[in-house]
Amino acid sequence: MSTTRYDELKKTLLERRYFKIVCGAGNEDLEEVRRLTIIYTIAGATVIDLSANTDVVRSAHKGIETAYKLALLLGKEIKIRPYLNVSIGLKGDPHVRKAKIIPDLCTKCGECIIACRQEAIKDDFIVQEYRCIGCGDCEKACIYNAIEYVHKKADFSKVLPECVEEGTETMELHAVTVDDKIVLSDWKLLNEMIPDNFLSMCLDRSLLSNKHLIERVKLAYEITGERFIVQADGVPMSGEGDDYNTTLQAVACADIVQKSGIPVMILLSGGTNSKTGLLAEQCGVRVHGVAIGSWARRIVKEFIRRDDFDTNPDVVKGAVLVAEKLIKSNIEAISG
């Protein structure tokens, strides 16, 4: 049992200094993941959240190693080596679906290309699956109903052990379904894979009542105990804005979990941004950390897309400064 790493992560949570960069449960763009990992490792992220894909995990591992080399060059100190976390989702969860354009309905108007935040749709109107994160922006933009989704559920009993071999230390289950039996079945599998570190369950109120949400938390806590992190999701993958309203539902979901009195760690997610920690503090919602995906990726996008990212240290430095500001604004607010 890796007591040292578990205790280190537990201490970070108890100090309310946990920050997770979400690369995207469906994001299999190896180069983007590597560069995001470099930036946020140097900036001080606690956890790097990844797709349950061994190539993606390896890419993040390479990013961490590169970050340590660059940190010295940039005069930065990495205080904690980020934990690699893989996320899995049940059927119907938007995090693990892929968009597909229906040729017979597509008019090639180009609105989906404009709307896609991941630049996963090119001029041939074929979705590049490795870049698609299932956010639904293309579907909202298409007035011809030419977007459908394919759910990609891997063989977790095979893939997850391989991810552990590649360095995965924690795992997360996206549980967007009303079926507790299915959720608990996969939850028990994760507990078998990671018996000595923290596990997260991502929950939102899109399908669950407040009562049902708390009942599920209780059932999962009976299995996992103090290693249980509830990732209180507001509106999944909605963090394209940096205002209080965008992050309101994440704080509200966390408030429900906190008031239940179940002694779990609570993480804010879903629509999170630079205002998330401050809103939680203003509302008296005491959480242990913040997970940011869409907004965290967006603010460093211009740096990640640079051709000289790997050859010009000033590019990485610029990205790190932006990422540091995001982390600081949240951690200072929730740690108080």
Side-chain angles (χ1 to χ4, degrees):
M1 175 173 173
S2 181
T3 305
T4 302
R5 286 290 277 175
Y6 173 76
D7 288 344
E8 184 178 34
L9 189 52
K10 181 178 180 180
K11 182 175 183 290
T12 302
L13 284 160
L14 292 175
E15 291 178 348
R16 304 178 190 276
R17 303 188 63 82
Y18 178 113
F19 181 92
K20 179 166 74 173
I21 165 65
V22 182
C23 295
N27 186 1
E28 297 172 322
D29 186 326
L30 304 183
E31 186 58 22
E32 180 178 293
V33 168
R34 186 184 70 86
R35 294 185 178 191
L36 280 169
T37 301
I38 291 171
I39 294 166
Y40 279 94
T41 294
I42 299 174
T46 315
V47 174
I48 312 292
D49 188 87
L50 308 162
S51 169
N53 176 307
T54 53
D55 289 334
V56 172
V57 175
R58 278 192 288 269
S59 188
H61 182 75
K62 290 177 183 177
I64 292 175
E65 296 304 318
T66 300
Y68 271 91
K69 296 174 184 177
L70 285 174
L72 293 174
L73 184 62
L74 299 176
K76 298 286 186 178
E77 178 188 1
I78 299 174
K79 295 182 179 179
I80 183 171
R81 183 182 180 89
Y83 293 70
L84 296 183
N85 176 87
V86 297
S87 289
I88 66 171
L90 300 167
K91 186 175 182 179
D93 191 296
H95 295 88
V96 290
R97 67 183 183 179
K98 299 289 184 179
K100 182 180 178 180
I101 297 175
I102 306 171
D104 291 344
L105 297 179
C106 179
T107 65
K108 296 181 171 53
C109 67
E111 291 301 316
C112 58
I113 295 176
I114 296 171
C116 182
R117 69 182 75 171
Q118 284 294 109
E119 300 176 8
I121 307 174
K122 300 302 180 183
D123 293 340
D124 59 4
F125 293 93
I126 296 175
V127 178
Q128 299 176 79
E129 285 195 358
Y130 75 98
R131 291 198 57 80
C132 178
I133 61 172
C135 65
D137 288 350
C138 57
E139 180 186 31
K140 294 174 185 175
C142 182
I143 63 173
Y144 302 101
N145 299 315
I147 306 293
E148 62 181 357
Y149 296 100
V150 177
H151 178 80
K152 300 192 71 176
K153 188 178 189 299
D155 181 353
F156 295 141
S157 62
K158 177 179 182 296
V159 172
L160 296 183
E162 292 175 351
C163 288
V164 171
E165 289 180 7
E166 293 295 337
T168 298
E169 294 180 84
T170 65
M171 291 185 182
E172 177 180 323
L173 177 65
H174 290 271
V176 182
T177 176
V178 296
D179 193 327
D180 291 324
K181 184 177 180 179
I182 293 176
V183 170
L184 294 176
S185 175
D186 276 357
W187 186 243
K188 289 176 181 177
L189 176 62
L190 263 64
N191 276 266
E192 293 172 4
M193 300 295 171
I194 306 290
D196 57 359
N197 215 324
F198 284 91
L199 292 169
S200 308
M201 183 180 289
C202 185
L203 295 166
D204 64 43
R205 296 179 295 160
S206 59
L207 298 177
L208 303 179
S209 66
N210 293 349
K211 181 180 179 182
H212 191 172
L213 186 148
I214 295 307
E215 288 175 348
R216 181 170 294 173
V217 171
K218 287 180 180 177
L219 291 171
Y221 180 75
E222 289 174 1
I223 296 170
T224 311
E226 70 166 20
R227 300 185 298 114
F228 185 21
I229 299 173
V230 173
Q231 184 162 302
D233 226 20
V235 181
M237 295 181 286
S238 64
E240 284 291 289
D242 194 34
D243 54 70
Y244 289 108
N245 185 262
T246 297
T247 200
L248 176 63
Q249 293 306 314
V251 176
C253 188
D255 184 48
I256 292 167
V257 178
Q258 176 184 267
K259 287 176 178 175
S260 73
I262 304 171
V264 296
M265 303 292 184
I266 303 175
L267 188 63
L268 289 164
S269 181
T272 41
N273 52 37
S274 71
K275 306 292 193 300
T276 300
L278 183 57
L279 183 61
E281 188 273 334
Q282 291 174 339
C283 295
V285 179
R286 296 280 286 163
V287 298
H288 301 88
V290 178
I292 306 183
S294 299
W295 185 252
R297 297 193 298 270
R298 180 177 177 177
I299 61 176
V300 297
K301 185 176 180 178
E302 64 176 289
F303 301 98
I304 286 177
R305 292 287 183 262
R306 290 277 296 263
D307 291 335
D308 58 347
F309 183 91
D310 288 315
T311 58
N312 187 349
D314 287 338
V315 174
V316 177
K317 182 178 181 180
V320 169
L321 290 175
V322 172
E324 284 179 332
K325 185 176 180 180
L326 177 64
I327 295 174
K328 183 178 179 181
S329 65
N330 278 283
I331 297 305
E332 286 188 349
I334 67 173
S335 63

